[in-house]
Amino acid sequence: MKIAAANDINSFYNLNSDAIKNTLYGTANTTVGDGEKTNLFGTLLNAAVSNIRDTNTAISNKENEELKWAMGISENTHDLTQAVGKAETALNYTIALRDKLLDAYKEIMQMQI
């Protein structure tokens, strides 16, 4: 699970109307440190999809550890506790990200054209 994606959410706070307009029309390119141009929306979308994959992996690992412990295959409660903690943290982060995206969507929908 990568927590580095948390830095991507900070870019929402620095958006202006030109950035939104450029993103909508596919012209929002930002220059990365090595001079390579990337699309802002594509970067955020890829980070969100990666976050969902990581969350699904953490939840799957948690379920596997629960099954191992319940069947007596594993007696290590530390691994179980760690898997549960990672899954809860990943799910809470995903829910917070979803809530921020829904709030941004609602705000965009309320804008006058």
Side-chain angles (χ1 to χ4, degrees):
M1 182 174 82
K2 294 184 272 185
I3 303 297
N7 294 334
D8 294 335
I9 201 167
N10 290 333
S11 62
F12 282 130
Y13 298 115
N14 298 324
L15 289 179
N16 57 28
S17 60
D18 290 334
I20 294 171
K21 184 176 20 172
N22 291 340
T23 300
L24 289 175
Y25 295 117
T27 59
N29 292 323
T30 56
T31 304
V32 187
D34 59 356
E36 179 184 335
K37 297 241 180 199
T38 61
N39 185 288
L40 177 65
F41 180 76
T43 302
L44 291 174
L45 181 64
N46 289 338
V49 169
S50 174
N51 181 33
I52 291 171
R53 283 190 195 119
D54 292 343
T55 301
N56 287 338
T57 301
I59 290 172
S60 177
N61 290 341
K62 176 193 76 114
E63 291 171 352
N64 289 340
E65 288 297 326
E66 287 174 343
L67 285 173
K68 286 179 189 176
W69 189 78
M71 293 188 320
I73 296 172
S74 173
E75 295 180 8
N76 190 351
T77 58
H78 176 71
D79 289 342
L80 175 62
T81 306
Q82 189 176 16
V84 169
K86 282 182 180 181
E88 287 178 358
T89 302
L91 189 59
N92 287 337
Y93 179 75
T94 303
I95 290 170
L97 182 63
R98 179 207 60 190
D99 291 344
K100 288 286 186 187
L101 289 172
L102 286 175
D103 288 343
Y105 175 77
K106 287 177 187 175
E107 189 173 326
I108 289 172
M109 288 290 105
Q110 292 175 356
M111 286 182 181
Q112 296 289 330
I113 297 179

